[in-house]
Amino acid sequence: RKEVEQDPGPFNVPEGATVAFNCTYSNSASQSFFWYRQDCRKEPKLLMSVYSSGNEDGRFTAQLNRASQYISLLIRDSKLSDSATYLCVEEGGTYKYIFGTGTRLKVLA
Amino acid sequence: DVKVTQSSRYLVKRTGEKVFLECVQDMDHENMFWYRQDPGLGLRLIYFSYDVKMKEKGDIPEGYSVSREKKERFSLILESASTNQTSMYLCASGLGGSGETQYFGPGTRLLVL
């Protein structure tokens, strides 16, 4: 069983919509989680870290649900430029970063 | 801005060739990583290094070796390239510590014929 699981999508949403992705993880002891964004044929870049208390950065909100072992990413007021693949990452131990396969988002005009 | 550079964006090699992929970071980061990314499999860790001359195996080290002679440079070596090593190779660096941000290079797309 893969340790970090994501719905591959694609999620096709109109501009201005709100969209949410979930990512499940299997190691209940994991402490740190992240969302990275990867544009087509580019390298991943950190979008935001996920804290136990939740984390908000502009239109983006990340949350952690330890009881159900998932993290979520909410994007409000989607822009065309939000089109990308969003990678969920779990820090499963020292230097052990487990990447999900990504959820593809397409924002349509 | 952190900059991580990789020696080549695209590389075509023949089976059995020795391949060197180089990665350089300019932020004095302790940690450096090599991943490969394949469709449907996500990023998988090949090797990482937490200090000069130190290296640890990741999840898929077979067929690869690494070298870190200087803090800013981390090399990935394919001793004898095989077709199943055709992939996108991504280098990353990080400051260290729990919750570190990883900064990725632009990637090297390697095709082994």
Side-chain angles (χ1 to χ4, degrees), chain A residues 25 27 30-35 48-51 64 66 71 88-91:
Chain A
Y25 63 93
N27 184 356
S30 293
Q31 295 296 312
S32 301
F33 302 88
F34 312 87
W35 283 103
M48 57 201 311
S49 300
V50 186
Y51 305 127
L64 168 62
R66 286 201 181 276
I71 68 170
C88 166
V89 184
E90 172 192 2
E91 186 178 0

Short mmCIF file of all heavy atoms in Angstrom, two decimals, chain A residues 25 27 30-35 48-51 64 66 71 88-91:
data_model
loop_
_atom_site.label_atom_id
_atom_site.label_comp_id
_atom_site.label_asym_id
_atom_site.label_seq_id
_atom_site.Cartn_x
_atom_site.Cartn_y
_atom_site.Cartn_z
N TYR A 25 -2.42 9.58 4.39
CA TYR A 25 -1.10 9.04 4.73
C TYR A 25 -1.28 7.90 5.70
O TYR A 25 -2.31 7.80 6.38
CB TYR A 25 -0.20 10.14 5.32
CG TYR A 25 -0.68 10.74 6.61
CD1 TYR A 25 -0.26 10.24 7.85
CD2 TYR A 25 -1.56 11.82 6.62
CE1 TYR A 25 -0.70 10.80 9.03
CE2 TYR A 25 -1.99 12.38 7.79
CZ TYR A 25 -1.58 11.87 9.00
OH TYR A 25 -2.01 12.43 10.18
N ASN A 27 1.33 6.66 8.00
CA ASN A 27 2.16 6.65 9.21
C ASN A 27 1.63 7.64 10.24
O ASN A 27 1.81 8.85 10.11
CB ASN A 27 3.61 7.00 8.84
CG ASN A 27 4.55 6.91 10.03
OD1 ASN A 27 4.13 6.66 11.16
ND2 ASN A 27 5.82 7.13 9.79
N SER A 30 3.94 10.43 11.74
CA SER A 30 4.52 11.51 10.93
C SER A 30 4.16 12.87 11.50
O SER A 30 3.03 13.09 11.94
CB SER A 30 4.04 11.42 9.47
OG SER A 30 4.56 10.25 8.88
N GLN A 31 5.13 13.77 11.47
CA GLN A 31 4.94 15.06 12.12
C GLN A 31 4.73 16.22 11.15
O GLN A 31 4.03 17.17 11.46
CB GLN A 31 6.17 15.38 12.99
CG GLN A 31 6.37 14.43 14.15
CD GLN A 31 5.22 14.50 15.13
OE1 GLN A 31 4.81 15.57 15.55
NE2 GLN A 31 4.68 13.35 15.50
N SER A 32 5.38 16.15 10.02
CA SER A 32 5.36 17.30 9.12
C SER A 32 4.79 16.92 7.76
O SER A 32 5.08 15.82 7.26
CB SER A 32 6.78 17.86 8.91
OG SER A 32 7.33 18.26 10.13
N PHE A 33 4.04 17.85 7.21
CA PHE A 33 3.41 17.62 5.91
C PHE A 33 3.53 18.90 5.09
O PHE A 33 3.63 20.00 5.65
CB PHE A 33 1.93 17.24 6.08
CG PHE A 33 1.72 16.03 6.92
CD1 PHE A 33 1.61 16.13 8.30
CD2 PHE A 33 1.66 14.78 6.34
CE1 PHE A 33 1.43 15.02 9.09
CE2 PHE A 33 1.48 13.65 7.12
CZ PHE A 33 1.36 13.76 8.49
N PHE A 34 3.50 18.71 3.77
CA PHE A 34 3.67 19.85 2.88
C PHE A 34 2.81 19.68 1.65
O PHE A 34 2.49 18.56 1.26
CB PHE A 34 5.14 19.94 2.40
CG PHE A 34 6.15 19.82 3.49
CD1 PHE A 34 6.60 18.58 3.91
CD2 PHE A 34 6.68 20.95 4.10
CE1 PHE A 34 7.55 18.45 4.91
CE2 PHE A 34 7.63 20.83 5.10
CZ PHE A 34 8.05 19.58 5.51
N TRP A 35 2.52 20.79 1.02
CA TRP A 35 1.99 20.78 -0.34
C TRP A 35 3.01 21.47 -1.23
O TRP A 35 3.45 22.58 -0.95
CB TRP A 35 0.66 21.53 -0.42
CG TRP A 35 -0.50 20.76 0.12
CD1 TRP A 35 -1.12 20.93 1.32
CD2 TRP A 35 -1.20 19.71 -0.53
NE1 TRP A 35 -2.14 20.04 1.47
CE2 TRP A 35 -2.22 19.27 0.34
CE3 TRP A 35 -1.07 19.07 -1.78
CZ2 TRP A 35 -3.11 18.24 0.01
CZ3 TRP A 35 -1.95 18.05 -2.11
CH2 TRP A 35 -2.96 17.64 -1.22
N MET A 48 3.06 25.30 0.52
CA MET A 48 2.90 25.62 1.93
C MET A 48 3.14 24.39 2.79
O MET A 48 2.97 23.26 2.34
CB MET A 48 1.52 26.20 2.22
CG MET A 48 0.35 25.35 1.84
SD MET A 48 -1.18 26.29 1.64
CE MET A 48 -1.24 27.27 3.14
N SER A 49 3.55 24.65 4.02
CA SER A 49 3.64 23.60 5.01
C SER A 49 2.26 23.43 5.65
O SER A 49 1.42 24.32 5.57
CB SER A 49 4.65 23.99 6.09
OG SER A 49 5.92 24.19 5.51
N VAL A 50 2.05 22.28 6.26
CA VAL A 50 0.76 22.00 6.88
C VAL A 50 0.97 21.83 8.36
O VAL A 50 1.66 20.91 8.79
CB VAL A 50 0.11 20.72 6.29
CG1 VAL A 50 -1.29 20.55 6.83
CG2 VAL A 50 0.11 20.77 4.78
N TYR A 51 0.40 22.68 9.15
CA TYR A 51 0.56 22.62 10.59
C TYR A 51 -0.68 21.99 11.22
O TYR A 51 -1.76 21.98 10.64
CB TYR A 51 0.76 24.03 11.16
CG TYR A 51 1.90 24.78 10.52
CD1 TYR A 51 1.72 26.05 9.98
CD2 TYR A 51 3.16 24.22 10.42
CE1 TYR A 51 2.75 26.73 9.37
CE2 TYR A 51 4.21 24.89 9.82
CZ TYR A 51 4.00 26.15 9.30
OH TYR A 51 5.02 26.82 8.70
N LEU A 64 -4.74 19.68 8.49
CA LEU A 64 -4.30 18.34 8.86
C LEU A 64 -5.36 17.72 9.75
O LEU A 64 -5.77 18.32 10.73
CB LEU A 64 -2.96 18.43 9.60
CG LEU A 64 -2.46 17.19 10.32
CD1 LEU A 64 -2.21 16.05 9.36
CD2 LEU A 64 -1.18 17.52 11.10
N ARG A 66 -5.48 14.55 11.92
CA ARG A 66 -4.70 13.40 12.42
C ARG A 66 -5.59 12.19 12.70
O ARG A 66 -5.18 11.06 12.51
CB ARG A 66 -3.94 13.80 13.69
CG ARG A 66 -2.76 14.69 13.41
CD ARG A 66 -1.76 14.64 14.56
NE ARG A 66 -0.63 15.52 14.30
CZ ARG A 66 0.43 15.16 13.58
NH1 ARG A 66 0.50 13.96 13.04
NH2 ARG A 66 1.42 16.02 13.39
N ILE A 71 -4.49 15.07 4.89
CA ILE A 71 -4.30 16.52 4.80
C ILE A 71 -5.10 17.02 3.61
O ILE A 71 -5.41 16.25 2.70
CB ILE A 71 -2.82 16.94 4.70
CG1 ILE A 71 -2.20 16.50 3.37
CG2 ILE A 71 -2.02 16.39 5.86
CD1 ILE A 71 -0.82 17.10 3.14
N CYS A 88 1.40 16.16 -2.53
CA CYS A 88 1.33 16.05 -1.07
C CYS A 88 2.60 15.35 -0.60
O CYS A 88 3.05 14.38 -1.23
CB CYS A 88 0.10 15.20 -0.77
SG CYS A 88 -0.04 14.57 0.89
N VAL A 89 3.20 15.85 0.46
CA VAL A 89 4.46 15.29 0.95
C VAL A 89 4.36 15.04 2.45
O VAL A 89 3.93 15.91 3.20
CB VAL A 89 5.65 16.22 0.67
CG1 VAL A 89 6.96 15.57 1.09
CG2 VAL A 89 5.69 16.60 -0.80
N GLU A 90 4.80 13.88 2.86
CA GLU A 90 4.82 13.51 4.27
C GLU A 90 6.27 13.36 4.71
O GLU A 90 7.06 12.72 4.01
CB GLU A 90 4.08 12.17 4.44
CG GLU A 90 4.18 11.53 5.81
CD GLU A 90 3.68 10.09 5.80
OE1 GLU A 90 3.31 9.60 4.72
OE2 GLU A 90 3.70 9.47 6.87
N GLU A 91 6.61 13.95 5.81
CA GLU A 91 7.94 13.71 6.37
C GLU A 91 7.82 12.52 7.31
O GLU A 91 7.36 12.65 8.45
CB GLU A 91 8.46 14.93 7.12
CG GLU A 91 9.90 14.75 7.59
CD GLU A 91 10.46 15.97 8.30
OE1 GLU A 91 9.73 16.97 8.44
OE2 GLU A 91 11.61 15.92 8.72
#
